[in-house]
Amino acid sequence: MLLFNYRVTAAAADGITAAEGSFTLEGRERRVVCALPEGKLRYVTAVAPLHIEADEKIFMNGFQTWTYCPEYTAKDALRPCFPLPKAAVRKYALDRYGDYHFVDYPNRPGMTHGFSYCYFRRGERYRLIASLDERPGYTIFRYDANRGELSIERDCENVRCGGEFHAFDLFYAEGGENEVFDAWFEALHIRPRTEKKLAGYSSWYNRYQDINEKSILDDLAGCAEMLEPGDLFQIDDGWEPFVGDWLEPDAKKFPNGMKSAVEAIHAKGFEAGLWLAPFVAQEGSALQREHPDWLLLHDGAPWSDGCNWGGFYSLDIDNPAVLDYLERVFRRVFDEWGFDLVKLDFLYGAAPFGTESESRGGRMIRSMELLRTWCGEKKILGCGVPVMTAFGLVDYCRVSCDVSLDWDDKPHMRLIHRERVSTRHAIGNSVFRRQLNGRAYWSDPDVFFLREDNVKLTKRQKDMLAALDAVIGGVFLHSDDMSKYSEAAKAQYRALRHLREAKDVRVSTDGVWKLQCTIDGQPYEMVLENLP
């Protein structure tokens, strides 16, 4: 049982008003509702004593899918954008990929924080504390091991209130891993939208933006030898003239258009997927030049979301013209071109902040509901999205950062944010968010590699990545030219496809990391080295 003291403050016409009280977490669900006068919310916090044992692990879910969030000990600390000059952070908008622009990072040992859910684990026993509703505001958990305190905040500052306000909507359970996570999703009334796991190909992690009609058709021919009917063949970033300009492909790269590419994919028996980043626009795009009023403003200036593609900006989902444009985009992608699935990326750009009428979390959920409406029953693979806001709204979802072509990217890249590209971090996140797979959606742990060219991972590292993807993920994609596979690589790929049928999956992260499961009734074990 946890006993919390809470305080909700708001700025009302007659000054600052507050609601105070206490509540316990001991059953499964606990909702704290306050009566507040007309005004604007300031702080919503609750604090409880929570002491952990020396060998107890702490998990705090990171803000969005790319955010690195391993288990921590009581001596660990979360670091913000690593020690870079503030001018560099501002120039490249490095604090926009995660929560750095709105969450305080004490950067002291023993202090960690996360979003939407957290757990404390000792051996195989979990204490799970989780949100049941993020629409009133993100639920931010903070743990101070030095004071032995767990605090919970609602991210809802300056949202207008009046009447009943849900200060906290919480779930609590103690027990085994499957026991507590099954119970949470039962309380959420959320199940995966589809029973079908996904396997196939994505063009990104070999060719990156350097794709064209010929390269896509070449890779399609290689995949036709190895993939199975109904698998996904996905055209990733690089088909569009600029990010934000989605109504026509780059005519030099795809002279016969996207419908022709889809027809070729379908002729091979595969589903066709297409990458888009619907809520952002690249610097220099026609959308940015011709419709500057479509960009989301903050303090009078367009809100920059990061430095990809030379810089990019959020679109304003409160602008009817933006919604009309995006609806036309999805009609074209599905109804005219014939795609079966869209990978929707950089989704965090929809809701970098809230308004007086809507919290940041509520705005993000609304944007995901818009996507679901526009896509109808077509499948969505979500990416770069605050984790819980995608629950039940996408069919598949990334749970990690992008993998890199080496183990942990270049040394200077390790100095930036927790959302950076890293195979090591991608594996860690896939392990520690494994409980979402098959509950919130089918999880995408990002791609694996079997090829020998254009990759710097060792054979051992590639084998670990591929086996983990097969066993603990629901999405199993590669970016290889399969026509170049050796007979050994072909045999390994077939074995990995079979490994996806593994049962009784366990991942041990105490001491030496191990992946354990049964396949065809026989035990399977892999030691996971150089982790976390």
Side-chain angles (χ1 to χ4, degrees):
M1 182 182 74
L2 296 176
L3 175 62
F4 285 88
N5 293 316
Y6 72 88
R7 180 177 175 85
V8 179
T9 61
D14 56 351
I16 302 299
T17 184
E20 298 178 318
S22 62
F23 65 90
T24 59
L25 282 183
E26 54 184 335
R28 294 297 173 92
E29 298 184 41
R30 189 70 170 89
R31 300 179 190 271
V32 179
V33 182
C34 300
L36 298 173
E38 292 288 336
K40 289 185 179 181
L41 291 163
R42 297 186 68 193
Y43 304 106
V44 180
T45 60
V47 180
L50 193 161
H51 296 277
I52 65 174
E53 301 297 330
D55 60 346
E56 199 160 356
K57 300 295 179 64
I58 306 159
F59 176 81
M60 293 282 172
N61 177 58
F63 173 59
Q64 61 127 312
T65 55
W66 303 337
T67 307
Y68 183 49
C69 48
E71 287 182 339
Y72 291 98
T73 71
K75 296 180 180 180
D76 290 323
L78 286 183
R79 290 185 289 178
C81 289
F82 285 58
L84 295 171
K86 291 183 179 180
V89 174
R90 287 195 298 270
K91 179 179 179 180
Y92 297 106
L94 297 177
D95 59 344
R96 307 296 170 81
Y97 292 92
D99 61 2
Y100 316 103
H101 64 281
F102 68 94
V103 172
D104 175 53
Y105 277 69
N107 195 16
R108 294 199 299 272
M111 303 190 72
T112 53
H113 77 265
F115 286 72
S116 305
Y117 73 101
C118 66
Y119 66 71
F120 298 84
R121 180 183 66 83
R122 191 179 189 200
E124 296 186 359
R125 186 163 185 81
Y126 287 70
R127 287 186 284 178
L128 173 67
I129 305 136
S131 171
L132 291 168
D133 187 4
E134 296 291 75
R135 203 178 294 268
Y138 288 123
T139 306
I140 302 176
F141 298 95
R142 292 184 184 272
Y143 185 64
D144 185 341
N146 308 299
R147 297 169 62 96
E149 283 185 350
L150 176 67
S151 62
I152 308 175
E153 305 167 10
R154 271 285 198 199
D155 174 43
C156 56
E157 186 175 3
N158 292 323
V159 174
R160 188 163 291 283
C161 62
E164 287 191 348
F165 174 71
H166 277 244
F168 301 104
D169 296 273
L170 299 169
F171 175 88
Y172 180 76
E174 297 184 19
E177 179 179 341
N178 289 331
E179 178 185 0
V180 300
F181 279 94
D182 283 347
W184 179 31
F185 279 90
E186 182 180 352
L188 287 169
H189 305 293
I190 286 176
R191 298 180 63 186
R193 289 180 48 82
T194 178
E195 295 181 358
K196 181 184 177 182
K197 294 183 180 182
L198 201 61
Y201 162 93
S202 165
S203 62
W204 182 249
Y205 294 92
N206 192 4
R207 302 181 185 277
Y208 293 92
Q209 281 193 305
D210 188 20
I211 59 172
N212 56 37
E213 188 175 276
K214 181 181 183 305
S215 68
I216 289 297
L217 294 179
D218 286 347
D219 281 0
L220 177 61
C223 286
E225 301 176 10
M226 293 293 298
L227 296 187
E228 298 178 3
D231 280 352
L232 177 71
F233 187 93
Q234 178 184 291
I235 301 173
D236 213 288
D237 186 11
W239 65 271
E240 74 285 358
F242 288 87
V243 171
D245 300 339
W246 308 115
L247 291 173
E248 297 294 342
D250 185 323
K252 292 182 179 179
K253 290 185 173 184
F254 291 87
N256 293 307
M258 303 312 289
K259 183 177 181 180
S260 175
V262 171
E263 289 172 346
I265 294 167
H266 284 167
K268 298 296 185 183
F270 305 139
E271 291 193 336
L274 187 68
W275 177 94
L276 302 97
F279 294 127
V280 299
Q282 178 182 354
E283 176 76 37
S285 63
L287 187 151
Q288 185 229 4
R289 293 194 314 272
E290 297 170 9
H291 302 285
D293 57 314
W294 290 11
L295 302 182
L296 181 65
L297 301 181
H298 188 67
D299 293 335
W303 180 263
S304 174
D305 286 301
C307 57
N308 299 65
W309 316 291
F312 63 107
Y313 305 96
S314 287
L315 298 183
D316 184 359
I317 63 170
D318 288 328
N319 187 325
V322 170
L323 302 187
D324 177 70
Y325 169 68
L326 291 177
E327 186 175 12
R328 286 190 289 126
V329 167
F330 285 106
R331 282 205 306 267
R332 178 156 297 182
V333 167
F334 294 128
D335 299 341
E336 297 181 29
W337 294 345
F339 281 94
D340 307 291
L341 173 149
V342 282
K343 176 185 175 183
L344 303 180
D345 211 344
F346 293 84
L347 296 177
Y348 67 87
F353 44 84
T355 65
E356 287 189 6
S357 61
E358 187 176 45
S359 73
R360 194 182 340 252
R363 187 180 184 87
M364 192 67 238
I365 294 170
R366 177 162 64 94
S367 72
M368 298 303 294
E369 291 171 340
L370 286 168
L371 293 176
R372 188 72 267 167
T373 298
W374 293 326
C375 294
E377 292 307 307
K378 298 290 187 177
K379 296 184 180 68
I380 298 174
L381 169 55
C383 191
V385 59
V387 176
M388 189 173 168
T389 65
F391 284 9
L393 292 170
V394 301
D395 305 271
Y396 311 97
C397 196
R398 179 73 66 78
V399 290
S400 74
C401 61
D402 282 15
V403 297
S404 53
L405 298 182
D406 56 16
W407 183 240
D408 200 18
D409 209 0
K410 300 174 179 63
H412 70 274
M413 295 299 291
R414 299 173 201 164
L415 298 176
I416 60 172
H417 46 70
R418 291 198 287 153
E419 290 73 27
R420 68 181 177 86
V421 172
S422 167
T423 301
R424 174 177 173 268
H425 282 189
I427 289 176
N429 267 28
S430 298
V431 166
F432 290 117
R433 285 177 171 156
R434 64 187 180 275
Q435 301 91 353
L436 303 183
N437 186 47
R439 292 187 174 98
Y441 29 59
W442 292 111
S443 295
D444 174 16
D446 210 9
V447 306
F448 63 96
F449 307 96
L450 297 186
R451 67 177 187 259
E452 299 295 330
D453 61 312
N454 194 30
V455 64
K456 297 178 181 178
L457 293 167
T458 67
K459 177 67 164 60
R460 174 64 177 162
Q461 290 166 346
K462 289 192 291 184
D463 288 348
M464 280 197 299
L465 176 64
L468 275 167
D469 285 6
V471 174
I472 66 173
V475 179
F476 191 65
L477 303 182
H478 69 86
S479 293
D480 300 344
D481 179 352
M482 300 185 91
S483 69
K484 297 181 179 179
Y485 273 9
S486 64
E487 290 303 315
K490 292 178 181 179
Q492 184 179 4
Y493 182 77
R494 287 190 288 268
L496 287 164
R497 291 285 297 237
H498 184 54
L499 189 58
R500 300 186 79 210
E501 301 172 13
K503 307 293 184 184
D504 306 318
V505 176
R506 293 182 63 251
V507 181
S508 172
T509 57
D510 291 328
V512 177
W513 285 30
K514 292 180 181 179
L515 169 66
Q516 297 170 308
C517 58
T518 58
I519 183 74
D520 297 330
Q522 299 299 313
Y524 174 95
E525 180 176 291
M526 172 175 277
V527 173
L528 307 175
E529 301 171 355
N530 301 318
L531 292 166

